Amino acid sequence: QVQLQESGPGLVRPSETLSLTCAVSGGSISSDYWSWIRQPPGKGLEWIGYIFYTGSTNINPSVKSRVTLSVDTSKKHFSLDLSSVTAADTAVYYCARLKIRGGNFDSWGQGTLVTVSS
Amino acid sequence: EIVLTQSPGTLSLSPGERATLSCRASQSVSSSYLAWYQQKPGQAPRLLIYGASSRATGIPDRFSGSGSGTDFTLTISRLEPEDFAVYYCQQFGSSPLFTFGPGTKVDIK
């Protein structure tokens, strides 16, 4: 069973870039789509974007100008960069496996809280 | 953008009771692309139902999904103590490609 683990700084200063990595284990990174989803404290879920192992991406228009997704198949991880962050970007960030044929997220990391504050 | 609305916001029930959760879409959603998730405090969401009515791996049969078009339902036939949580519906197919409803909290009466 695939397992996902997010890693990265828990605190980012306003206007800087939030960078997170998701390590994939127990399965092949080259056979699925991989996604980032976030959840502000006490609020609902927002899909950020997905990446295929080839590097093909699709990103939510609400953050498209600020988001870069990348994948490293040799290291079995994929990454999120979110630039020019503000307090509104404070959230728990989840990585998840996307089953594109069904359009659902069947495996999730435990999530990592990123706070944007000076 | 397809907006998903969930009702009620909170459902207060006792163990053993039946829970009926609603998810309504602002535009028609393909049944193939409607999913439900359960989230407990401090945990990641867990996929329960996909394709509107198919249970994900390991999900007990007390969970069932139904619906089509703009109206979908998640039913928990008999609530177990571990079922008290927040439930989200999610659609795939309209920009943004994936959206979630605001959630229904099922708490203990």
Side-chain angles (χ1 to χ4, degrees):
Chain A
Q1 179 170 338
V2 69
Q3 294 186 316
L4 305 171
Q5 178 67 59
E6 305 89 349
S7 61
L11 179 65
V12 180
R13 303 205 182 280
S15 80
E16 296 189 343
T17 295
L18 178 161
S19 294
L20 296 174
T21 294
C22 181
V24 179
S25 60
S28 173
I29 197 170
S30 300
S31 60
D32 280 298
Y33 290 74
W34 307 96
S35 201
W36 290 96
I37 296 160
R38 68 180 179 179
Q39 184 172 37
K43 297 188 177 181
L45 299 159
E46 179 185 31
W47 170 72
I48 297 171
Y50 73 67
I51 188 165
F52 194 42
Y53 78 96
T54 58
S56 172
T57 63
N58 193 298
I59 299 169
N60 191 324
S62 69
V63 293
K64 189 170 185 176
S65 63
R66 300 192 291 131
V67 164
T68 302
L69 302 182
S70 59
V71 60
D72 187 329
T73 55
S74 65
K75 294 182 179 179
K76 294 191 68 173
H77 71 216
F78 59 102
S79 300
L80 164 70
D81 286 332
L82 177 65
S83 64
S84 305
V85 297
T86 69
D89 295 309
T90 294
V92 175
Y93 285 77
Y94 296 100
C95 58
R97 182 173 70 177
L98 165 62
K99 304 304 285 185
I100 196 71
R101 291 184 66 182
N104 58 77
F105 306 96
D106 72 335
S107 295
W108 296 63
Q110 66 184 24
T112 187
L113 174 63
V114 179
T115 301
V116 179
S117 175
S118 55
Chain B
E1 175 181 346
I2 292 182
V3 177
L4 299 178
T5 302
Q6 293 187 242
S7 61
T10 301
L11 193 53
S12 296
L13 295 168
S14 300
E17 289 193 297
R18 181 185 188 91
T20 303
L21 288 66
S22 173
C23 176
R24 180 162 291 176
S26 59
Q27 304 172 43
S28 184
V29 173
S30 168
S31 296
S32 298
Y33 301 135
L34 192 288
W36 290 91
Y37 300 83
Q38 176 194 68
Q39 186 178 34
K40 298 179 181 179
Q43 296 185 18
R46 176 175 70 145
L47 178 66
L48 295 177
I49 301 287
Y50 63 93
S53 61
S54 297
R55 277 187 298 276
T57 302
I59 301 303
D61 61 7
R62 64 180 180 273
F63 291 92
S64 64
S66 63
S68 63
T70 60
D71 291 297
F72 298 88
T73 300
L74 174 70
T75 301
I76 310 172
S77 59
R78 290 174 50 132
L79 283 164
E80 298 288 341
E82 62 267 29
D83 299 337
F84 293 92
V86 179
Y87 293 83
Y88 295 95
C89 57
Q90 171 249 314
Q91 69 86 30
F92 166 48
S94 178
S95 181
L97 280 187
F98 303 92
T99 55
F100 293 85
T104 289
K105 182 178 182 180
V106 179
D107 67 13
I108 299 176
K109 187 173 182 180

